[in-house]
Amino acid sequence: MFSRPDGRRADQLRTIAFQRGFTRYAEGSVLVSFGETRVLCNATVEESVPSFLRGEGRGWVTAEYSMLPRATQARSPREASRGKVGGRTHEIQRLIGRSLRAVVDLAALGERTIQIDCDVLQADGGTRTASITGAYVALVDAVAGLLDRGLIAASPVREPVAAVSAGLVEGVPLLDLNYEEDFRAAVDMNFVITGSGRFVEVQGTAEDHPFTLAELDALRDLALGGCRDLVRLQQQALRG
Amino acid sequence: MFSRPDGRRADQLRTIAFQRGFTRYAEGSVLVSFGETRVLCNATVEESVPSFLRGEGRGWVTAEYSMLPRATQARSPREASRGKVGGRTHEIQRLIGRSLRAVVDLAALGERTIQIDCDVLQADGGTRTASITGAYVALVDAVAGLLDRGLIAASPVREPVAAVSAGLVEGVPLLDLNYEEDFRAAVDMNFVITGSGRFVEVQGTAEDHPFTLAELDALRDLALGGCRDLVRLQQQALRG
Amino acid sequence: MFSRPDGRRADQLRTIAFQRGFTRYAEGSVLVSFGETRVLCNATVEESVPSFLRGEGRGWVTAEYSMLPRATQARSPREASRGKVGGRTHEIQRLIGRSLRAVVDLAALGERTIQIDCDVLQADGGTRTASITGAYVALVDAVAGLLDRGLIAASPVREPVAAVSAGLVEGVPLLDLNYEEDFRAAVDMNFVITGSGRFVEVQGTAEDHPFTLAELDALRDLALGGCRDLVRLQQQALRG
Amino acid sequence: MFSRPDGRRADQLRTIAFQRGFTRYAEGSVLVSFGETRVLCNATVEESVPSFLRGEGRGWVTAEYSMLPRATQARSPREASRGKVGGRTHEIQRLIGRSLRAVVDLAALGERTIQIDCDVLQADGGTRTASITGAYVALVDAVAGLLDRGLIAASPVREPVAAVSAGLVEGVPLLDLNYEEDFRAAVDMNFVITGSGRFVEVQGTAEDHPFTLAELDALRDLALGGCRDLVRLQQQALRG
Amino acid sequence: MFSRPDGRRADQLRTIAFQRGFTRYAEGSVLVSFGETRVLCNATVEESVPSFLRGEGRGWVTAEYSMLPRATQARSPREASRGKVGGRTHEIQRLIGRSLRAVVDLAALGERTIQIDCDVLQADGGTRTASITGAYVALVDAVAGLLDRGLIAASPVREPVAAVSAGLVEGVPLLDLNYEEDFRAAVDMNFVITGSGRFVEVQGTAEDHPFTLAELDALRDLALGGCRDLVRLQQQALRG
Amino acid sequence: MFSRPDGRRADQLRTIAFQRGFTRYAEGSVLVSFGETRVLCNATVEESVPSFLRGEGRGWVTAEYSMLPRATQARSPREASRGKVGGRTHEIQRLIGRSLRAVVDLAALGERTIQIDCDVLQADGGTRTASITGAYVALVDAVAGLLDRGLIAASPVREPVAAVSAGLVEGVPLLDLNYEEDFRAAVDMNFVITGSGRFVEVQGTAEDHPFTLAELDALRDLALGGCRDLVRLQQQALRG
């Protein structure tokens, strides 16, 4: 039976770390690590909203995602050089934005935007789940700045949100796959789950090996446990 | 309690129709209707594969998706005029390609590509699920042509595949949402399920109202029933 | 001597059909057939004009043209995927717009735009002439909607307009070429002619075989007759 | 009745001039003037052909056309800055290429390309007709170089080709319109005609005032005379 | 020791010429020649400023630069056809704009833009230095028009500006390199210097052979002399 | 007189640090700090060369440069989102590539490319000089890997190279400007200087205040001293 390269249990997260204040200009700046995956999540507060929201008294949270060319084992060309943002990038940045908006009361945020930038410095699987999980911490830091400056009276963040992957490798359901595991996985699912255990996103893909109902249940249970752990670690980091 | 605008039961599909041979040049050409949603699914056989597969003796199935500008109630600008393909389009065409590849034995297809084009003539919700469901029929027609011409000895299609949406409208789980229902849905999930009841894709998004485990189960059960019905209708159409 | 593949006389149109109301959202929606060539012509009414006309109290009529990838015998790549609209497409959509504006009193239309979308579902020669001829019918339907809603008091359409091709195949002047004939033609001309027999556009190209004055006269006479027939069929369809 | 701003007769060309050898690197380099319209026509010989012709033993003639930003009374933005070539430019460069190919025996040219660049230094109407007329002279100079170097034994140029406009201004048919006349013209036609008096292209547009058969005849006769004069001037320049 | 192909002394400019009024529409239009290098410099006055300056009561001077495809010995593709402006072009047009702004009092210019277009008709080395030197003359002509029309009371041009190259060829410092010399140069520097002998720009590149302090001094001295001569020739041309 | 915000002497560098091995996949990976400016310099070895060098037996060194959106005090849009790489970015990445090639024997490198990626994580002035100085260290690490694996027998790096800025602030020549100083500088020069004290690049710009010969000398002397210090720190880091 498959044994994990780093010796983890099936339901165990990689080593998770949040380094707050990683850069000095962003209102929230967190370097998140899921094992060897490292993503810099910067939150910027802008006192304006996209045109489709102007004058409605509500705020907005949106995200952009990018990988440094040498975040990966082989260098990948920059999207700026190719002159366009690829499909995978679009998918991920829309996902990050939706996930954060799910836990923010946009009316309470006021007519301003929190722009999240997730830049992957090093990629070892799970960059989108690390991005969401780290971006939440950066978002809370940016919101704290708004509270400190008296721009809002109460936090518009309703509850924490975290994300994690789960997949089937040689028939075994595993939590938080690294690149090698992901590469070998027949099924790869991503879950975005709130602190209260509700689902924001469920995404599962099984191009080569469609999966059964029983397998779906097993992966979902791993993810519920993993997100519970991640939310606890987020709270610790925010207290730290 | 919410009653459906067209009087359907909660677990009932819209009127489904497949018009095969809709255009004359494509190897498979199906106009699929899910109620007022109408998508032209053309399958093209090309005797080559993308460069990353060249010389490996395997085939490929890929898809492109587009909406005519006036498929929608208000006209939307063409992506060609804007000079780029948007994020939503990328997401959908990657989904269609993956869904079909999940039921095709690419080695048995031989070193050729089946290119699917899904062009939405009229959009009333569920264009991506209609696209997958119709594209399967066009694919089978294109494969039949390969069999007839003796280019392959047996069909590389392992089993049928269909897709359907399910969502929560005013707390009620409903199958196969039309545009008005989709607009009012708190949760919108898309399922791609094979003839043998296995999952190829599970996608659920709940930007405003994260959903519970019980709700997830209810939607999943509706989708399992809906895809069972769709596969039956696909088989009827292919016999017709 | 050359005999036409479908047995037509030299001065005979292909089977012409107009299917009004083909889609449900566009203010005018016509599927026009010139034999096996089929073009969906949708007319959209927008209550604004391009910036160069703003505040002048006049309206505008413009067009976009596109082919579905598999409208043709071999699949052609989408212009959206290539990231730009090609030269031939630009030429045709400018031609369609000019042809319709020639019969519309833009001041009487009021400060609004009629946007025509011509999407070729199947191409067997003459897609631009079919587009203009079908777009006229969609335009009249859209104008009828404006009249019905009391937004304009009288129709701004001054007279009908239709278009047809004529060419020299093996020295014989022929009307309304299909793809096979067009492929073999030494000269290919397109004429846009109004109901009163006046010329809006005359376009003739003879890259390989420059043509004589006598040949020019013969093609022009065919086109005058062909457009007379097309205008009669447009009027029938609009009464139907 | 309308009298021409520069006192010309209705059937009179503007002052025409060809300055050969205007730049030193191009194989043919001609600055052509049609009155105040000045176009630099450079012909480049390349010892290769586009991929669709490779290995067929035939040559190719193609053209690009551009205006300097301040060729016009008000500055127009560069197409390079806007990142794409516009529809009008595409139309014109395709026209120039077709017109020249109509008088060149591509098989006799051998597997090489003559690339024509027409860059408008100053625009006062008729830039496309000046381009074609000047490009012919540059082409002959480039061909002379091939003959001198013994790369071809005989000239592949079958006969001269020239182009001129004719239009209706206040009901009067006029030859070779300048910008002011063109601006006031109800109809503007362009003709490309060979030395033997045969038509390569006929293009007429009458967006605002569709024209009658009698008017078409009058314009065509002006153009036949004008091209006869232009061909004579081309021959003089080539002897000079 | 290296002797210059055209017999010049080491500190001698090529034949310099300024042809004012080269085209008729631009407010300033100068064809500048540095030997065989010929650049058309057109200055356009626009009664607006870029958005970042709006309402500040100051003007702007900016430039665009381009080469005709056959300005060079081998044809280079147009940037418009490739759909983007290259890095070298960006660098040069930013340099031209900065150089001219250095001698213009933008507040005295008033809220308007002088747009410079430098189009290289023929390139034999030094196109950027010729562009700056010629653009200064075109700028002064455009400013003269503003003075004549009473739009400004006094010239905002503080002093002349010119540019020249200097380089090391086989160890010898030479002024104003032509293409052949530039190709053989180990070091190539460009200097932009005002009439009062102050430096606006100093740019030196020595990819293959880093240079010593003594060599830097020698090149700088050549440039100081060369720009003194160029400013004298500019003044002559403006009086002429 | 101006006193530096961080209390440095006029000829003093900021705190310089090199963190080698910052990411794990790149052959050389250095996080360089010039005070608060932090740039991640990754060197990738690719066993191929650009097409213009293929088959010549020589290698290539090239660079790309980018800023994270929130490297700056206000967020800047991504170049990938705007669909093109701006002029400033082009200028900088060409400069980095040239600077490194100046100290590498490309023939001794063999037919392979060293691709440098400089990604600015935090920008406080001098990002291009930090990039060059850090990239040199990453390059040496990548070359060490080639030596270790026996792919080359001796290092192709001829000598160190470093870069630094110098500028005039309120008339005072200062070394290594931070953002605040740079913002107030009348003149800003960048120097790239080798370990042996020779110049690879000299770039000075004085849009608003052209500078005198004496000022040029003072800036150059500061830079010579600064690069001497930087080379010493690079050597320390590489030994560390």
Side-chain angles (χ1 to χ4, degrees):
Chain A
M1 191 182 126
F2 183 76
S3 95
R4 307 190 77 165
D6 53 5
R8 280 188 284 154
R9 295 187 318 272
D11 65 350
Q12 192 179 353
L13 295 168
R14 290 178 280 182
T15 305
I16 307 294
F18 301 93
Q19 188 173 345
R20 290 165 65 205
F22 186 74
T23 65
R24 62 180 342 206
Y25 303 124
E27 282 72 33
S29 178
V30 172
L31 182 70
V32 65
S33 307
F34 273 43
E36 291 293 340
T37 289
R38 286 197 272 157
V39 184
L40 174 52
C41 305
N42 281 339
T44 296
V45 177
E46 291 174 344
E47 292 296 321
S48 65
V49 287
S51 52
F52 69 89
L53 276 180
R54 221 159 278 158
E56 308 225 346
R58 297 171 58 227
W60 192 239
V61 179
T62 185
E64 289 185 5
Y65 165 97
S66 184
M67 282 223 209
L68 294 201
R70 202 52 202 285
T72 43
Q73 302 206 5
R75 184 177 184 274
S76 358
R78 287 171 196 272
E79 296 190 316
S81 303
R82 293 185 304 147
K84 60 173 186 173
V85 172
R88 180 183 170 276
T89 296
H90 269 298
E91 236 176 280
I92 295 177
Q93 56 198 19
R94 285 155 56 102
L95 171 64
I96 300 169
R98 282 197 309 262
S99 299
L100 295 173
R101 287 193 298 272
V103 296
V104 173
D105 177 343
L106 296 173
L109 177 58
E111 200 154 330
R112 56 177 61 86
T113 298
I114 299 184
Q115 166 78 45
I116 304 291
D117 286 291
C118 294
D119 286 272
V120 181
L121 303 188
Q122 197 167 276
D124 187 32
T127 62
R128 81 186 69 189
T129 54
S131 293
I132 292 166
T133 306
Y136 170 76
V137 178
L139 174 81
V140 171
D141 276 340
V143 163
L146 290 171
L147 288 165
D148 284 354
R149 292 157 60 206
L151 290 168
I152 51 177
S155 171
V157 180
R158 287 194 282 241
E159 59 170 323
V161 68
V164 78
S165 71
L168 288 169
V169 181
E170 300 185 10
V172 184
L174 298 176
L175 182 68
D176 187 23
L177 310 185
N178 69 11
Y179 179 76
E180 183 187 338
E181 293 169 334
D182 187 63
F183 183 79
R184 301 173 61 175
V187 180
D188 178 25
M189 294 196 73
N190 290 294
F191 293 85
V192 183
I193 303 179
T194 69
S196 62
R198 288 183 304 148
F199 296 87
V200 177
E201 295 264 344
V202 177
Q203 295 185 337
T205 287
E207 185 166 328
D208 292 322
H209 300 278
F211 51 102
T212 64
L213 199 43
E215 289 166 338
L216 174 57
D217 285 357
L219 297 175
R220 187 198 56 198
D221 290 345
L222 282 175
L224 280 165
C227 284
R228 209 152 36 219
D229 292 345
L230 286 168
V231 165
R232 193 172 33 79
L233 295 164
Q234 286 171 328
Q235 302 305 89
Q236 274 178 16
L238 283 165
R239 278 193 302 272
Chain B
M1 191 183 128
F2 183 75
S3 93
R4 307 190 77 165
D6 53 3
R8 280 188 283 154
R9 294 189 317 273
D11 65 350
Q12 192 179 353
L13 295 169
R14 290 179 279 182
T15 305
I16 308 295
F18 302 93
Q19 187 173 346
R20 289 164 66 204
F22 186 74
T23 65
R24 63 179 342 204
Y25 303 125
E27 281 73 34
S29 178
V30 172
L31 182 70
V32 64
S33 308
F34 273 44
E36 291 293 340
T37 290
R38 286 197 273 156
V39 185
L40 174 52
C41 306
N42 281 339
T44 297
V45 177
E46 291 173 344
E47 293 293 322
S48 65
V49 288
S51 53
F52 67 89
L53 276 180
R54 220 158 281 160
E56 308 226 344
R58 298 171 56 228
W60 192 240
V61 179
T62 185
E64 289 185 5
Y65 166 96
S66 184
M67 281 224 210
L68 293 202
R70 201 53 202 283
T72 43
Q73 302 207 5
R75 186 176 183 274
S76 357
R78 286 171 195 273
E79 297 191 314
S81 303
R82 293 184 307 146
K84 62 173 185 175
V85 172
R88 180 184 169 275
T89 296
H90 269 298
E91 238 176 279
I92 295 177
Q93 55 199 19
R94 286 155 56 103
L95 171 63
I96 301 170
R98 283 197 308 263
S99 298
L100 295 173
R101 287 194 297 273
V103 295
V104 173
D105 178 344
L106 296 173
L109 177 58
E111 201 153 329
R112 55 177 61 86
T113 297
I114 298 184
Q115 166 78 45
I116 304 291
D117 287 290
C118 295
D119 285 89
V120 181
L121 303 189
Q122 196 168 277
D124 186 31
T127 62
R128 81 186 70 188
T129 53
S131 293
I132 293 166
T133 306
Y136 170 75
V137 178
L139 174 81
V140 171
D141 276 339
V143 163
L146 290 171
L147 289 164
D148 284 353
R149 293 156 60 207
L151 290 169
I152 50 177
S155 171
V157 180
R158 286 194 282 241
E159 57 172 324
V161 68
V164 78
S165 71
L168 288 168
V169 181
E170 299 184 12
V172 184
L174 298 176
L175 182 68
D176 188 22
L177 310 184
N178 70 10
Y179 179 76
E180 184 187 338
E181 293 169 333
D182 187 63
F183 183 80
R184 302 174 60 177
V187 181
D188 178 27
M189 294 196 72
N190 290 294
F191 293 85
V192 183
I193 303 179
T194 69
S196 62
R198 289 183 303 147
F199 296 87
V200 176
E201 295 264 343
V202 178
Q203 296 185 337
T205 288
E207 184 166 328
D208 293 321
H209 299 280
F211 51 101
T212 64
L213 199 42
E215 289 166 339
L216 174 56
D217 285 357
L219 297 174
R220 186 200 56 198
D221 291 344
L222 282 175
L224 280 164
C227 284
R228 209 153 34 219
D229 292 346
L230 286 168
V231 165
R232 194 173 31 79
L233 294 164
Q234 286 172 329
Q235 302 304 89
Q236 274 178 15
L238 283 165
R239 276 193 302 272
Chain C
M1 191 182 128
F2 182 76
S3 93
R4 307 190 77 165
D6 52 4
R8 280 188 284 154
R9 294 189 316 273
D11 65 350
Q12 192 179 353
L13 296 168
R14 290 178 280 182
T15 304
I16 307 295
F18 302 93
Q19 187 174 346
R20 289 164 67 202
F22 186 74
T23 65
R24 62 180 341 206
Y25 302 125
E27 282 72 34
S29 179
V30 173
L31 181 70
V32 64
S33 307
F34 273 44
E36 290 294 340
T37 290
R38 287 197 273 156
V39 185
L40 174 53
C41 305
N42 280 339
T44 296
V45 177
E46 291 173 343
E47 292 295 321
S48 65
V49 287
S51 53
F52 67 89
L53 277 180
R54 220 159 279 159
E56 308 226 345
R58 298 170 57 226
W60 191 240
V61 179
T62 185
E64 289 184 6
Y65 166 96
S66 184
M67 283 222 210
L68 294 201
R70 202 52 202 284
T72 42
Q73 302 207 3
R75 185 177 184 274
S76 358
R78 286 172 196 271
E79 296 190 315
S81 304
R82 292 184 306 147
K84 61 173 186 175
V85 172
R88 180 183 170 274
T89 296
H90 269 299
E91 238 177 279
I92 294 177
Q93 56 198 19
R94 286 155 56 102
L95 171 64
I96 301 170
R98 282 197 310 263
S99 298
L100 295 173
R101 287 194 298 273
V103 296
V104 172
D105 177 344
L106 296 173
L109 177 58
E111 201 154 329
R112 55 177 60 87
T113 298
I114 299 184
Q115 166 79 44
I116 304 291
D117 286 291
C118 295
D119 286 271
V120 181
L121 303 189
Q122 196 167 279
D124 187 32
T127 62
R128 81 185 69 189
T129 53
S131 292
I132 293 166
T133 306
Y136 170 75
V137 177
L139 173 81
V140 171
D141 275 340
V143 163
L146 290 172
L147 289 165
D148 284 354
R149 293 157 59 207
L151 289 169
I152 50 178
S155 171
V157 180
R158 286 194 281 241
E159 59 171 324
V161 68
V164 77
S165 71
L168 288 169
V169 181
E170 300 185 11
V172 183
L174 299 177
L175 182 68
D176 188 22
L177 310 186
N178 70 9
Y179 179 76
E180 183 187 339
E181 293 169 334
D182 187 63
F183 183 80
R184 302 173 61 175
V187 181
D188 178 25
M189 293 196 73
N190 289 295
F191 294 85
V192 183
I193 303 179
T194 69
S196 62
R198 288 183 303 148
F199 296 87
V200 176
E201 294 265 345
V202 177
Q203 296 185 336
T205 288
E207 185 166 328
D208 293 321
H209 299 280
F211 51 102
T212 64
L213 198 43
E215 288 166 339
L216 174 56
D217 285 357
L219 297 175
R220 185 199 57 197
D221 290 345
L222 282 175
L224 280 164
C227 284
R228 210 152 34 217
D229 292 346
L230 286 168
V231 166
R232 193 172 32 78
L233 294 164
Q234 287 172 328
Q235 301 305 90
Q236 273 178 16
L238 283 165
R239 276 194 303 271
Chain D
M1 191 182 126
F2 182 75
S3 94
R4 308 189 76 165
D6 52 4
R8 279 188 284 154
R9 294 188 317 273
D11 65 350
Q12 192 179 354
L13 295 168
R14 289 179 280 181
T15 304
I16 307 296
F18 302 93
Q19 188 174 345
R20 290 164 65 203
F22 186 74
T23 65
R24 61 180 342 206
Y25 302 125
E27 282 72 33
S29 179
V30 173
L31 182 69
V32 64
S33 308
F34 273 43
E36 290 293 340
T37 290
R38 286 197 273 157
V39 185
L40 175 52
C41 304
N42 281 339
T44 296
V45 177
E46 291 173 343
E47 293 294 321
S48 65
V49 287
S51 53
F52 68 90
L53 276 181
R54 222 159 277 158
E56 308 226 345
R58 297 171 57 227
W60 192 239
V61 179
T62 185
E64 289 185 5
Y65 167 96
S66 184
M67 282 224 208
L68 294 200
R70 202 52 202 284
T72 43
Q73 302 207 6
R75 185 177 184 274
S76 358
R78 287 172 196 272
E79 296 191 316
S81 303
R82 293 185 304 147
K84 62 172 185 173
V85 172
R88 180 183 170 276
T89 296
H90 269 298
E91 237 177 278
I92 295 177
Q93 55 199 20
R94 286 154 56 102
L95 171 64
I96 301 169
R98 282 197 309 263
S99 298
L100 296 173
R101 287 194 298 274
V103 296
V104 172
D105 177 343
L106 296 172
L109 177 57
E111 201 154 329
R112 57 176 62 86
T113 298
I114 299 184
Q115 166 78 47
I116 303 291
D117 286 291
C118 295
D119 285 90
V120 180
L121 303 189
Q122 197 168 276
D124 186 32
T127 62
R128 79 186 69 188
T129 53
S131 293
I132 293 166
T133 306
Y136 171 75
V137 177
L139 173 82
V140 170
D141 275 340
V143 162
L146 290 172
L147 289 164
D148 285 353
R149 292 156 61 207
L151 289 168
I152 49 177
S155 171
V157 180
R158 286 194 281 241
E159 58 171 324
V161 68
V164 78
S165 72
L168 287 169
V169 182
E170 299 184 12
V172 184
L174 298 177
L175 181 68
D176 188 21
L177 309 185
N178 70 10
Y179 179 76
E180 184 188 338
E181 293 169 334
D182 187 63
F183 183 80
R184 302 173 61 176
V187 181
D188 178 25
M189 295 195 72
N190 290 294
F191 294 85
V192 183
I193 304 179
T194 69
S196 62
R198 288 184 302 148
F199 296 87
V200 176
E201 294 265 343
V202 177
Q203 295 185 338
T205 288
E207 184 166 327
D208 294 321
H209 300 280
F211 52 101
T212 63
L213 198 45
E215 289 165 338
L216 174 56
D217 285 358
L219 297 175
R220 185 198 58 197
D221 290 346
L222 282 176
L224 281 164
C227 284
R228 209 153 35 219
D229 291 346
L230 287 167
V231 166
R232 193 171 33 78
L233 294 163
Q234 287 172 328
Q235 302 304 89
Q236 273 177 17
L238 285 164
R239 276 193 303 271
Chain E
M1 191 183 126
F2 182 77
S3 94
R4 307 189 78 164
D6 53 4
R8 280 188 284 154
R9 293 187 320 271
D11 65 350
Q12 191 179 354
L13 295 168
R14 289 178 280 182
T15 305
I16 307 296
F18 302 93
Q19 187 173 347
R20 289 165 66 204
F22 186 74
T23 64
R24 64 181 338 204
Y25 302 124
E27 282 73 33
S29 179
V30 173
L31 182 70
V32 64
S33 307
F34 273 45
E36 291 293 339
T37 289
R38 286 197 274 156
V39 185
L40 174 53
C41 305
N42 281 339
T44 296
V45 177
E46 291 174 344
E47 292 296 320
S48 65
V49 288
S51 53
F52 68 89
L53 276 179
R54 221 158 277 159
E56 308 225 345
R58 298 171 57 226
W60 191 240
V61 179
T62 185
E64 288 185 7
Y65 166 96
S66 184
M67 281 223 209
L68 294 201
R70 201 53 202 283
T72 42
Q73 302 206 6
R75 186 177 183 273
S76 356
R78 287 172 196 271
E79 295 191 316
S81 303
R82 292 185 304 148
K84 62 173 187 174
V85 172
R88 179 182 171 275
T89 296
H90 270 298
E91 237 177 279
I92 295 177
Q93 56 198 20
R94 285 154 58 101
L95 171 64
I96 301 170
R98 283 197 309 264
S99 298
L100 295 173
R101 286 193 298 272
V103 295
V104 172
D105 178 343
L106 295 173
L109 176 58
E111 200 153 329
R112 56 177 60 87
T113 297
I114 299 184
Q115 166 78 46
I116 304 290
D117 286 291
C118 296
D119 286 273
V120 180
L121 302 188
Q122 195 166 278
D124 186 33
T127 62
R128 81 185 70 189
T129 54
S131 292
I132 293 166
T133 305
Y136 170 74
V137 177
L139 174 81
V140 171
D141 275 340
V143 162
L146 290 172
L147 288 165
D148 283 354
R149 293 157 59 207
L151 290 168
I152 50 178
S155 171
V157 180
R158 286 194 282 241
E159 58 171 323
V161 68
V164 78
S165 72
L168 289 168
V169 181
E170 299 185 11
V172 184
L174 298 177
L175 182 68
D176 188 22
L177 310 186
N178 69 11
Y179 179 77
E180 183 186 340
E181 292 169 334
D182 187 63
F183 183 80
R184 302 173 60 176
V187 181
D188 178 27
M189 295 195 73
N190 290 293
F191 294 85
V192 182
I193 303 179
T194 69
S196 62
R198 289 184 302 148
F199 296 87
V200 176
E201 295 264 344
V202 177
Q203 295 184 338
T205 287
E207 184 167 328
D208 294 321
H209 299 280
F211 52 101
T212 65
L213 199 42
E215 288 166 339
L216 174 56
D217 286 356
L219 297 175
R220 185 199 57 197
D221 291 346
L222 282 175
L224 280 164
C227 284
R228 209 151 37 217
D229 292 346
L230 286 168
V231 166
R232 193 173 33 77
L233 294 164
Q234 286 172 329
Q235 302 305 88
Q236 273 178 17
L238 283 165
R239 276 193 304 271
Chain F
M1 191 184 125
F2 182 76
S3 94
R4 308 191 76 164
D6 53 4
R8 279 187 286 154
R9 294 188 318 272
D11 65 348
Q12 192 179 353
L13 295 169
R14 291 178 278 182
T15 304
I16 306 296
F18 302 93
Q19 187 173 345
R20 290 164 65 203
F22 186 74
T23 64
R24 62 181 340 206
Y25 303 124
E27 282 73 33
S29 179
V30 173
L31 182 70
V32 64
S33 308
F34 273 45
E36 290 294 340
T37 289
R38 285 197 274 156
V39 185
L40 174 51
C41 306
N42 280 340
T44 296
V45 177
E46 291 174 344
E47 293 294 322
S48 64
V49 287
S51 53
F52 68 88
L53 276 180
R54 221 158 278 160
E56 308 225 344
R58 299 170 57 227
W60 191 240
V61 179
T62 185
E64 290 185 5
Y65 166 96
S66 183
M67 282 223 208
L68 293 201
R70 202 53 202 284
T72 44
Q73 302 207 6
R75 184 177 184 275
S76 357
R78 287 171 196 272
E79 296 191 314
S81 303
R82 293 185 304 147
K84 61 173 187 175
V85 172
R88 180 183 170 274
T89 297
H90 270 298
E91 239 177 278
I92 295 176
Q93 56 199 20
R94 286 154 57 103
L95 171 64
I96 301 169
R98 282 197 309 262
S99 299
L100 296 173
R101 287 194 297 273
V103 296
V104 172
D105 177 344
L106 296 173
L109 177 58
E111 200 153 329
R112 56 178 60 87
T113 297
I114 298 183
Q115 167 78 46
I116 304 291
D117 286 290
C118 295
D119 285 272
V120 181
L121 302 188
Q122 195 167 277
D124 186 33
T127 61
R128 80 186 70 189
T129 54
S131 293
I132 292 166
T133 306
Y136 170 75
V137 178
L139 174 81
V140 170
D141 275 340
V143 163
L146 291 172
L147 288 164
D148 284 354
R149 293 156 60 208
L151 290 168
I152 50 178
S155 171
V157 180
R158 286 194 282 241
E159 58 170 324
V161 68
V164 77
S165 72
L168 289 168
V169 182
E170 300 185 10
V172 183
L174 299 176
L175 182 68
D176 188 20
L177 310 185
N178 69 11
Y179 179 77
E180 183 187 338
E181 294 169 333
D182 186 62
F183 183 81
R184 303 173 60 176
V187 180
D188 178 25
M189 294 196 72
N190 289 294
F191 294 85
V192 183
I193 303 179
T194 69
S196 63
R198 289 184 301 149
F199 296 87
V200 176
E201 294 265 345
V202 177
Q203 295 184 337
T205 287
E207 183 167 328
D208 293 322
H209 299 280
F211 52 101
T212 64
L213 199 42
E215 289 167 339
L216 174 56
D217 285 357
L219 297 175
R220 186 199 56 197
D221 290 345
L222 282 175
L224 281 164
C227 284
R228 209 151 36 217
D229 291 346
L230 286 168
V231 166
R232 194 174 30 79
L233 294 164
Q234 287 172 327
Q235 303 304 89
Q236 274 178 17
L238 284 164
R239 275 194 303 271

